[in-house]
Amino acid sequence: MMAASLLRRDKRSTAAHLKADLKRTDNSSGLRQLRELLDNVLHPERGSEPEALEWCKSLLAGGDGFDEFCRTVRSYDNATLCGLVWTANFVAYRCRTCGISPCMSLCAECFNNGDHTGHDFNMFRSQAGGACDCGDGNVMRESGFCSRHRLQTGENVPSVPLDLLLMSEMVLPRFIISIIQYLRDGYTEPESAADRDLQKVLQQLDLHISFLEELTKMGGAMRTVLTKILTNQQTFKELSMGQEESVYAKSNYEKYLSALKSSGLVSVEEKGAGAGASDTPAGAGALGLLGAAASLEDSSKEEDQDGLQGVGQRKRVKLSSSSKDPSIMDTLKHKCFLEELLFWTIKYEFPQKMVTFLLNMLPDQDYKITFTKTFVQHYAFIMKTLMKSHESDTMSNRIVHISVQLFSNEELARHVTEECQLLDIMVTVLLYMMESCLIKSQLQDEENNRHVVVNCGEALLKNNTYWPLVSDFINILSHQSVAKRFLEDHSLLLLWMSFVSFFQGMNLNKRELSEHVEFESQTYYAAFAAELEACAQPMWGLLTHCKVKETHEYTRTVVRYCLETLQMWFDAIGFVDEPALHQLTFHLPLHRYYAMFLSKGVKCQGLDLDSLLPDQEMLMKIMVHPLQIQASLSEIHSNMWVRNGLQIKGQAMTYVQSHFCNSMIDPDIYLLQVCASRLDPDYFISSVFERFKVVDLLTMASQHQNAVLDSEQERPMLEGALTFLVILSSLRVHLGMSDDEILRAEIVSQLCMNDRTHSSLLDLIPENPNPKSGVVPGSCSFEEMLAAVADFKAPVFEPGGSMQQGMYTPKAEVWEKEFDPIMVILRTVYRRDVQSAMDRYGAFLKQSGVHTGNPWPPYKERTPLHPCYKGLVRLLHCKTLHIVIFTLLYKIWMDHQNMSEHVLCMVLYLIELGLDNPVQDNQVEEEPCIEEHCHDSWFPGTSLLSNLHHVINFVRVRVPETAPEVERKRARERERETPASTSSESSSFGQNLREAQVFSLVAERRRKFQEIINRSNHEASQAVRPKSSSSRWLPPGSPPQLVTEILEIGESMLSLLVKLHQKLSGKQNSLSLSWLAEVDPAHHAHGDGLTAIERVLAKAAARSRHSKRCLQEICGQVCPPIPLKKNSPGDKKSMDKEERRQRARERQQKLLAEFASRQKSFMETAMDVESPETDSVMDMGSAEALDSEVLYDCVICGQSGPSTEDRPTGLVVLLQASSVLGHRCRSDTPKRLPTTDEEHISPEDTCGATHDVRLSLMQRYFKDSSCLQSVSIGWVGGVYVQTCGHTLHIDCHKSYMESLRNDQVLQGFSVDKGEFTCPLCRQFANSVLPCRPGRGMETGAWHTPSNKSMSTLVKEVEDLQEQLGIFPAESNLSKEMESVIKDIKNTTQKKYMDYGKNPGSPDNDFLFMYSVARTNLELELVHRGGNLCSGGASAAAKRSCLNQLFHVLAMHMRLYSIDSAYNPWTRLTQSTQSRDNEYCGDERPEVPMLFRDVPSLLIIFILTMPQPLRKEHFTCVVKVLYSLQYTQALAALSVRFSPEERLVWSNTGAAKKNTPNSDKSWESLLGHVISELTKAKDVYGTNSEETLVLSSSVWSPQSIEFSLQQFCLPFLRLSCLLQHHLYGDSLPGCLVEEEFSLLAGCLGLAGSAQSSAACLEWNISAFDLISQWCSEVIALSDTPSQQSVSLLGQDPQWAAPRLLHLPDNYNTIFQFYHRKSCTSCGKTPKDPALCLVCGAFVCLKGHCCKQQGVCECVLHSQHCGAATGIFLLINASVIIIIRGHRFCLWGSVYLDAHGEEDRDLRRGKPLYLCEERYRVLEQQWVSHTFDHINKRWGPHYNGL
């Protein structure tokens, strides 16, 4: 066995040896060796081993290393395409400016290397995966190629040496067949095995397929080899069947064949010549399909005959169409590896790796063509697999991932259409797919219906499984060449029409009349989606190719087939002329195809409308269903369908919603307009009122009976009918508006409803769903149009915390001239939007002073009609409509029930439309036999203008016996009973009877219908029509007690209008004669009903002299309006509605005013609850205030009183841990967020870190207890206390908390943690701080300055400190104080409190207590801007609780007395004898005074001395500490000098030492300090190099003085603030330069403004004291000098806290961080986040970084911000705030060019930093107000 020996040898040498063999001309031995070797290595039964892969790699490389081989092959890469393949969730780019195909996409690298500035591009997260199109000129313009693919690299690449890929060509076929054999082996039918097994097979192949993928990435040269192998039929034949001798290969091949069979597929051989066309890859060609098309028609016809009962019993219906020609559906023949690989890819449901491999090969042109053909050939099989799949979603995505790459390319699509019948295959496959879920339609004739529709409840529709196929179809139809083939192929069109008819009438709704439906089906989602995707979008695709005259034949063909299919549909559902009751379907795709092609033909191709229309009878049928939908919309809004549940409202809303309206309601309305313009107007109008069920209401009688509506439904239905007529006659979207005008009208109507953001506008403007059409959102026309009609309102930030986005709002002239209420009504999904538009319109009129009342919708002039649709005007000039208008005007004037303002408004609108659109043709249309028309006697002609002034005297009506008309008549008859009745009277009455007008819409409609039908059947036209007798207008089945009455009217429409005007204005002669003379219709554009009536009258007068004359007569003889007879209860109801409304409005106004004044007084009191100190400061002048106790109001029980030991009052406070101070840095400029690998943020230089280092350094050398008093903690994790200023009794608070606990309402806070909201102002809080009983301030005696000497005061202070703390008596107050201290300790984490060596020691506690005071003082300073220059009790002070906090802390700290031996006070004020001998052995020294933190000492002294403290003692403490601070400043300064400077200054100082007042001159003191510290070894010696850097400039006296002041300022600020809170001293404002002297003055440091030293006041010799302090440092000879220097030179100044500085463009952050791997777990996080405080990169919600069940963001927030975290979510561009156990979405600081957020980066537009928002965020962080300003908090359960 040769192979065995080869196997044992080293792989590389074997490969080299074989390669040499194979290069010879006679290579047979080499071939044999290789074959044997591969048989062994790739033996299928050995499975997939890494070993085999290693062998393959070595063999391919032929003796070189594999990596080296890869590099060599890459150097021959001649590909000009990028072709990078990505999977779902990859971030890619799409540029509409560069794209030819709408599906074009680029990888980030190609996008960033191309130039797309100013283009319309966006970033998107891939849904299904995709591939980069860079370099492909078919899909995108070359200008957009990136720098790498712009050069035609192909030319300058050397040709590949022959032997380089020799081995690859030999080895790879074997490698590929081994994969295929493996797939054959592993496959089991899903029925027999769980799907999991397939996954297992795939996992084992993982390495092999990855290896193939690697090969494809080697570039063009390797791809060429692979293509050769994959498409070579010879190799396939040899290897696929297996060599004769191999048993394994045989059985393997059998498995393959059985898999084919079980898929319902036959290999062509087996069918033999049966198919007749076994040579064409796609089976039978178009011929077979023609058969299929025909058979489809037959089969539907055949079913008529062969017993329909069968269909009824089977719920599902199978059409037998495609079975006639099975070739497309079930023939497959594999001739090469590629075909079988694709087959298995489908079988295994598109594993991601295989898909990626197949797509990676696409840059190779030959491969692309072969693969596309193979894909098309397997198309039917793909569909079958998809329908069976359980994972249809994933599979759909993978299919589209492939098909979009193939079909977006027009050339390729055309090629496949011509060669492989792509269109036939697609349509057949779609038909086949839908046939699987057909059911019998129940529309119209439920029993005998022969129509079948898709069942929307089936999974196929519900889960959108058809989506990939439909999307491919839409994609190929977007190519002109393909679409033309489709439109030319009539059999295909017919097939397609039958496909569309499956959706015609689907999802039928039946109105529930008795009880509410039990189960609300949600199938309507599926139905709407299916109609939009499967019918409308292909329709729009076809329409885009019917734009020019040359293509008019296509339009004619489609229209012809539409009509044929419609006719078949009418026959199938058994439709004659009346629609079935209570049925509604929103889905009429056939009607809509017909409508849209009509519209396109007339608009773009100049076709004559009449040549495309059917006869009248067909038009009448076509009109019925769309009209039914319009009426049903009205019914749904009138709550007539309420028993069908909410879903029916959902359908009505979806039908008009922006994504659907131009494929649904617009074509419907257009179709109705076409019908209206061609049918008899009287017939049309009466049909409308009959469909809307308001016929019975249109009577002159005051009472009527309605057989079909309840009385509360009558008004909305009447309004609906009239509104529909107005829309029908005024909408011009398809009747002559240009595209730009339509776009403008759409934008205006959306903006009038509400201000809109740019993106929501784009979303709301109904775009043509086909992406290649003209108006693409974001196209220039959209932007220009938007700029023309709207103003941009920049995003503002409201102080309430709600962040506005950038909005567009209509310009004033748009409100004035373009606001179109009709368009708004048509486009509103919610009825409230119409109201909103009217309110905004009213507000505009008020503001511009045009009109102040309640305006009516303005009337808008229309664009002229396209000549084809002129007939529409006849609708406004037909007698039926005029009678309705007359009747309604009369009813409104007479106050009949169910009339409304809206009815009048629409009636006037119709009159005005009629006046503006006069009838063109003046031929007399009157037919000779006038007396037949039951309404012709109402009006002489059809012109509205002439009918306006026609007076109608008597009308005959049918009324119930109880009606007031009958009463009146009886009264009249009683008068007549007197015998004096003359014949003349009775004769006149009889005459009235003859003249009286009768009117019945139903009769009218039936007559017209008859007439039209007769006209079309000639022989019937001679038949005598029956006279319309009075019985005709009796509605069938009406109750018997109706009687006929004659009403005396004597009015014309004009006179009624004038009377209505009087009625509305409430004046008798509201229209004087002079009014007519000066009227100008233009004045009356805006206003209420009066204006509308005036405008109509003015137009009538202007258009006709006759009308003008009549008007003058009417106005001349104005009579009082008819007084209403209130004789029946019905009329009471109709007491003037307006009047009732007026009264209600007045009542409401009064209530509102009262409420507002109450609210105002409440606000005044609530917002001024002064915190106690400011109150008493105010009262200081008055004597009685000195003794009175402070009174507090309890906001719960409302009582006012002092706080007592038994019943203490407390302030509502929020305690929170804060690390804001710790994040301060030295420099003012914030740190930058790193956006490259080079940048880093150093955390060492922050305030928190520096203090930590300092403390641990001290603890290394000094005594622990002393260390813990020499610094403050709380820079990180300190407790900050804030209040809203409201107080409550603590016992009231407890009961309030109880009630909150029992309240089941879900609160945003946790009551168990003590959280609540202030009962008065609802501010968030979590504790109550007790107020100390007694007077407010240390007033009177405590304040009076005394002239005791400094030394006396020092002594007194010392005595005060000696006093022992008295344990307070056990009382409610002391208990509360204890509990508050406990709350404060629980607020922060343990690690932020224990800094001592022995945890839990009192020293630790002591340090924590005074640090709380320090933190709060420091934070107040920060809030005041870091200095006290602004002065005044700033807003913060009013809400400050420092005073109360101090007392609570003081009471606590008095319990720890300081051992007098260690009391720092003595070391500050006396020269003590050296106590060195007392340090026994190992005990560490105390911290030297010069190392101590002076503000900490101040707070310790104040808090440990008995309260209240006299002010003079306070001042004394400050003075003493100032001396120490000053000395520290000198020492720190001296360290920064160079040795020479030190020498100079020490000499200067020595010279000045003996002058008077030398202890108040810094020179002498500085000199002294330098000379003292020089004694200590190493203090100055060590760091000369460093200091040289520091002191490059020479120190002048001015700069020294300035540094000293700066060094002491923080201490002075803190002291001053403390004094302000304890004693209520005011803080005067000043300039920054004067701050030092001013503060010194406030604190009583008697200094002049000139120098800082002048403020010193020593009580013993300054020089002795300084020497003593320095000697403490000198004594530390054993500590390393470096450290002591760093402790000396601590600079106390910090800049304000800032968040990180963010880059301007969001893309910089996104690109760097969204693929970055996490520092702790090393993975790329699914949801990466950034901490904006310190720049840490964390995994949001990632389980990878969880610790003890807490996710990383929450952990980081505890570590970095003591439970406050601010995170930017990289993938969403939003910021979330974590505060303790809650979190909230804060919003985004990055906005796009239109000032909008882009949450989750859905739109992917470029985003830019909004500085204002970022400042607000920083402000809320620094001021700790997240809890108060952001409202929507939720618990995060440690899961973020």
Side-chain angles (χ1 to χ4, degrees), residues 1195-1246:
V1195 293
I1196 292 178
C1197 67
Q1199 294 171 357
S1200 176
S1203 175
T1204 61
E1205 293 279 342
D1206 304 334
R1207 193 173 185 205
T1209 309
L1211 265 175
V1212 177
V1213 291
L1214 174 64
L1215 309 173
Q1216 53 179 311
S1218 157
S1219 298
V1220 171
L1221 291 168
H1223 284 294
R1224 294 180 302 178
C1225 297
R1226 297 266 181 228
S1227 82
D1228 268 336
T1229 50
K1231 300 178 175 180
R1232 301 182 74 83
L1233 175 72
T1235 47
T1236 59
D1237 290 322
E1238 290 71 60
E1239 298 174 73
H1240 294 289
I1241 293 182
S1242 59
E1244 290 74 58
D1245 57 352
T1246 58

Side-chain angles (χ1 to χ4, degrees), residues 48 53 57 66 175 179 202-218 352-354 356-357 360:
S48 153
L53 263 184
K57 285 185 178 173
F66 185 65
F175 184 67
I179 290 184
L202 290 169
Q203 266 161 1
Q204 290 179 315
L205 271 182
D206 204 38
L207 288 169
H208 282 50
I209 298 175
S210 304
F211 174 61
L212 281 179
E213 229 182 297
E214 241 173 278
L215 293 178
T216 60
K217 289 187 179 152
M218 282 187 202
Q352 186 66 66
K353 281 254 158 110
M354 292 289 289
T356 318
F357 162 64
N360 272 337

Side-chain angles (χ1 to χ4, degrees), residues 1423-1438:
H1423 299 163
R1424 287 170 174 273
N1427 57 29
L1428 293 178
C1429 298
S1430 54
S1434 70
K1438 182 170 171 185

Side-chain angles (χ1 to χ4, degrees), residues 241-266:
M241 313 275 186
Q243 280 89 9
E244 293 65 54
E245 66 273 15
S246 160
V247 184
Y248 169 78
K250 274 267 174 287
S251 69
N252 184 279
Y253 187 65
E254 290 301 312
K255 277 195 174 170
Y256 156 65
L257 290 177
S258 79
L260 264 179
K261 263 211 192 72
S262 67
S263 314
L265 302 165
V266 224

